[in-house]
Amino acid sequence: MATDGGVGERIRWSLGSVWRRLLDHPLPWLVPTLLALAVFQFYPMIQAVWMSFTDESLVRPTVDFVGLQQYVRLATDPVFWEMLEVTAIYAFSSVVLHVLAGLVLALAIDYGVRRGLRGHLTTRVSVLLAWIVPGIIIGLVWKVMLVESRFGAVNHLLGTLGVGPVPFRSDPTFALVSTIVAGTWRGTAFSMIMIYGGLQRVPRRLYEAARVDGAGRLARFRHVTLPQIKSVVFITTVLVTIYALNTFDLIFALTGGGPGRATQVLALFMYQEAFQDYALGRGAAIAVVMLVANLLLTGAYLYAFDVSEEI
Amino acid sequence: MTDDRAHTDGGTATEDETTGRPVATSGRLRGLVGAARSPLALDLGVYATYAVAIGFFVFPVLWVASASLRPPGELFSYPFRLLPAEVSLSAYRRVFRAGMVTWLFNSILVTVIGVASIVVVSVPAAYAFSRFEFRGRRGLLGIVLLFQMISPVIIIVPLYTVMSTLGLLRTRVGLVLLYVGIQTPFSIWLLKGYFDTVPMELDYAARIDGCNRLQTLRHVLLRPVAPGIAVVAIFNTVLTWSEFVLAFTVLGSESALHTISIGVYKFQGQYGNDWRAIAAASIVGMLPLVIVFLGLQRYFVKGLIEGSLKGE
């Protein structure tokens, strides 16, 4: 009995030691993550690049390597350049509006908190509320807001000013403006919070020093606040650009890319090529174009961190 | 937006004018930077900014809520009013008859299991990145960051074939696994930051007491990183609940599997111009998140900031 117990003990001890040795290696801790990333991120990314060199289609069984043909086709397709233009307008306006509105709101809330003004929390919660609404539903909310008869909420308000009714979703220009406004409704929260976070990290003593030197409010804003939040504003701009370039759900629900192709951004164009026209290869080529844009922006984002670390 | 800038300028001007005047300063505010003098114009400008912001961001939600509660026909009656003259739940009845209970159930299922899986996968990974020194650690972290930056929309085409090969199309399990793959990078980065703030001395002490690394994580480190886990859980709840394009692609056309975003989208396709019903569907789709959010909004703020500033 006594020896049995000893053997059992020894086996348990050596199992424990193997277990312990295993846990002292990083790999077991990382295996689930590595598997998930390999299957659902890394492989698809490589596959997207590969597919863009083929004519893969959901309706044909054979796949042929076609080299750069998909890209040549894209580059010579006026529709692609139209999409690119729509995407660029959407992304650029979104970024300007998000960052500007976010900056103004962050400053207003920061000021309100320091001065003990009422309403800064309500403002913050209101802005964030818009951000948590699912993208598809944001599209529908704005669809309801922008009903094109005089009974639509916005058209009614405009009507009391003697304007409209405005064809918010059926006129190409207004449709694009509508998507940009709806996008700003959602995205401002992110810029606001990021820049607000940046404001909290500005050392108080810099303001004290500037006051001692006789700097007024505007001078303090220009010479203390702005240089201090410059890098966070830049990082925010890059991230917002990436989100804007990849926008899908909101536009999908609000206009579906229409009227015609007036609001068809790259993501929607890609989706349509791949899943409505079943041309996976062509869709993948558009995806690679988007991927390159994302990678360039990620590079800019990393560069911003290097710069801010040096400071 | 430029309005506020103008007020800032105006504020500086009034500040000089008011310097000589006795200004009511409460004791609470004395000593706070910028509070010694009270530039009234700047205060008013900030209040105006608040009012415009609250109006712009809340009005659409209120309007949709109001539209959803109207009896048939009243939405298009004249004169226009924000509050319905008479409350009717007929639009909600229509939405629930179309399958809203199923969509809600699927969304809750996918969100709860998805978020739990994401936490279970990303906590050990974040621990490893924080506590081990190994070759390729920086490179691997860089790749994780890269995956976080790249939108799943971009890889949706090959993802479709991957899911099809694995037999995961039209399954909720497949969608959950996909969310784990897509959303862990962000969670790992955020959690690693929390682990990094916990002093290594705690690990050493646990080690001396005979704990292996798993026991150390469970009994010693989990408590200090709990706020980080909360942020990750809440943030992923919002992402998972709202996600559309992956679910739409993976779950296909079978209505019994649809999550709320897909259900609501299909519903509006079917009932084209029934604005009351679309409004009701939107309200049901956002309400669970709005409730969670109003209770826990502080954590969202932390998640937004900490998830995006990896350089810190």
Side-chain angles (χ1 to χ4, degrees):
Chain A
M1 278 306 261
T3 27
D4 270 10
V7 171
E9 193 79 338
R10 208 171 308 158
I11 289 172
R12 193 152 3 115
W13 184 85
S14 64
L15 271 181
S17 127
V18 168
W19 177 233
R20 191 176 271 262
R21 291 262 296 281
L22 202 63
L23 287 178
D24 278 339
H25 197 276
L27 200 59
W29 300 84
L30 290 169
V31 162
T33 297
L34 293 179
L35 261 179
L37 291 183
V39 175
F40 296 113
Q41 298 249 30
F42 187 68
Y43 176 76
M45 209 183 289
I46 303 297
Q47 183 70 7
V49 177
W50 165 248
M51 276 167 108
S52 73
F53 295 116
T54 71
D55 63 352
E56 189 162 346
S57 156
L58 280 176
V59 288
R60 239 178 326 104
T62 58
V63 178
D64 287 320
F65 182 81
V66 295
L68 289 172
Q69 198 181 305
Q70 302 287 12
Y71 292 98
V72 172
R73 187 172 163 171
L74 270 187
T76 52
D77 184 356
V79 171
F80 172 71
W81 294 102
E82 247 174 74
M83 307 297 104
L84 219 51
E85 197 188 328
V86 169
T87 310
I89 294 172
Y90 175 82
F92 181 75
S93 331
S94 298
V95 170
V96 169
L97 287 172
H98 289 201
V99 175
L100 221 62
L103 179 66
V104 167
L105 284 169
L107 288 170
I109 289 175
D110 186 56
Y111 177 85
V113 171
R114 293 187 196 293
R115 293 267 298 140
L117 301 186
R118 287 162 162 275
H120 60 83
L121 190 65
T122 315
T123 307
R124 187 172 97 168
V125 171
S126 310
V127 179
L128 279 164
L129 180 75
W131 175 74
I132 60 147
V133 175
I136 279 289
I137 292 178
I138 293 176
L140 298 185
V141 164
W142 282 90
K143 222 171 170 174
V144 175
M145 286 286 288
L146 299 174
V147 169
E148 294 188 351
S149 71
R150 66 193 170 112
F151 302 113
V154 176
N155 263 325
H156 176 81
L157 292 177
L158 289 176
T160 58
L161 302 172
V163 183
V166 179
F168 284 113
R169 292 190 302 112
S170 55
D171 175 84
T173 312
F174 279 120
L176 190 53
V177 172
S178 300
T179 57
I180 292 167
V181 171
T184 305
W185 191 73
R186 161 164 69 179
T188 299
F190 180 75
S191 315
M192 176 188 86
I193 292 300
M194 291 286 290
I195 297 173
Y196 182 74
L199 285 172
Q200 305 315 301
R201 284 190 295 273
V202 180
R204 291 287 103 199
R205 57 184 165 75
L206 292 183
Y207 288 108
E208 311 273 355
R211 284 168 69 85
V212 170
D213 289 347
R217 194 174 289 279
L218 187 64
R220 289 202 299 274
F221 177 74
R222 268 185 48 193
H223 299 297
V224 180
T225 312
L226 274 188
Q228 285 288 315
I229 62 170
K230 209 173 56 188
S231 68
V232 90
V233 170
F234 180 76
I235 287 164
T236 308
T237 307
V238 173
L239 289 174
V240 170
T241 312
I242 294 180
Y243 297 145
L245 277 181
N246 300 326
T247 304
F248 180 89
D249 46 7
L250 186 154
I251 302 178
F252 194 60
L254 180 59
T255 63
R261 296 179 182 277
T263 56
Q264 196 165 50
V265 290
L266 277 176
L268 267 136
F269 183 45
M270 174 196 74
Y271 198 88
Q272 193 193 339
E273 293 283 296
F275 295 115
Q276 279 158 32
D277 299 349
Y278 304 120
L280 295 184
R282 228 182 307 154
I286 302 164
V288 171
V289 172
M290 291 174 71
L291 184 65
V292 170
N294 276 253
L295 288 177
L296 288 175
L297 285 161
T298 306
Y301 169 90
L302 293 176
Y303 170 79
F305 272 121
D306 280 351
V307 170
S308 66
E309 263 164 38
E310 277 167 25
I311 292 168
Chain B
M1 301 300 146
T2 41
D3 256 358
D4 193 68
R5 199 58 65 80
H7 283 303
T8 312
D9 296 348
T12 331
T14 39
E15 190 183 54
D16 295 335
E17 286 162 25
T18 50
T19 312
R21 269 183 256 160
V23 177
T25 319
S26 76
R28 190 163 56 90
L29 289 175
R30 210 189 304 274
L32 283 183
V33 178
R37 285 166 293 179
S38 160
L40 190 63
L42 188 54
D43 281 7
L44 290 179
V46 167
Y47 277 127
T49 311
Y50 289 172
V52 169
I54 293 172
F56 178 66
F57 288 99
V58 174
F59 178 71
V61 174
L62 289 182
W63 172 251
V64 168
S66 146
S68 73
L69 288 170
R70 285 161 202 248
E74 209 220 270
L75 186 58
F76 295 128
S77 70
Y78 218 79
F80 174 92
R81 49 172 93 226
L82 177 60
L83 288 175
E86 189 190 326
V87 171
S88 156
L89 293 177
S90 67
Y92 286 91
R93 269 196 290 278
R94 187 164 200 182
V95 174
F96 275 95
R97 227 175 281 138
M100 184 59 91
V101 177
T102 314
W103 309 330
L104 279 173
F105 172 77
N106 286 332
S107 273
I108 292 170
L109 190 77
V110 168
T111 304
V112 169
I113 299 179
V115 171
S117 316
I118 291 165
V119 169
V120 167
V121 169
S122 56
V123 166
Y127 170 84
F129 280 123
S130 172
R131 288 314 200 237
F132 285 104
E133 259 319 319
F134 54 94
R135 212 148 39 86
R137 178 176 154 278
R138 278 186 69 86
L140 208 54
L141 263 173
I143 291 174
V144 171
L145 171 70
L146 187 71
F147 286 148
Q148 187 199 321
M149 302 295 283
I150 284 159
S151 161
V153 175
I154 293 177
I155 52 172
I156 193 80
V157 177
L159 267 179
Y160 179 84
T161 54
V162 168
M163 299 302 276
S164 163
T165 311
L166 296 174
L168 293 174
L169 279 184
R170 289 177 289 280
T171 65
R172 283 165 292 196
V173 179
L175 190 60
V176 166
L177 289 174
L178 185 52
Y179 286 152
V180 172
I182 300 292
Q183 282 162 225
T184 41
F186 161 82
S187 309
I188 291 172
W189 266 103
L190 200 140
L191 284 170
K192 179 187 172 290
Y194 277 85
F195 275 111
D196 285 346
T197 62
V198 181
M200 284 294 276
E201 281 70 28
L202 284 182
D203 298 54
Y204 300 143
R207 200 121 248 231
I208 291 166
D209 287 347
C211 289
N212 65 33
R213 281 178 182 269
L214 193 62
Q215 289 162 331
T216 307
L217 175 61
R218 261 183 54 197
H219 301 302
V220 180
L221 297 178
L222 222 44
R223 192 174 293 254
V225 298
I229 295 178
V231 173
V232 163
I234 294 164
F235 212 78
N236 280 305
T237 302
V238 176
L239 290 181
T240 310
W241 186 274
S242 309
E243 204 286 320
F244 174 75
V245 69
L246 296 175
F248 192 62
T249 311
V250 169
L251 294 178
S253 56
E254 204 172 318
S255 170
L257 297 177
H258 284 167
T259 57
I260 198 94
S261 282
I262 309 174
V264 170
Y265 176 75
K266 293 251 173 174
F267 178 82
Q268 66 96 32
Q270 224 170 340
Y271 292 90
N273 286 325
D274 186 349
W275 299 114
R276 292 166 47 253
I278 294 174
S282 306
I283 292 294
V284 177
M286 70 170 96
L287 204 59
L289 273 192
V290 169
I291 292 168
V292 172
F293 163 74
L294 289 180
L296 303 168
Q297 59 103 4
R298 262 161 224 293
Y299 292 99
F300 288 88
V301 173
K302 282 176 84 85
L304 272 175
I305 296 177
E306 288 163 14
S308 308
L309 293 177
K310 274 122 247 140
E312 306 286 279

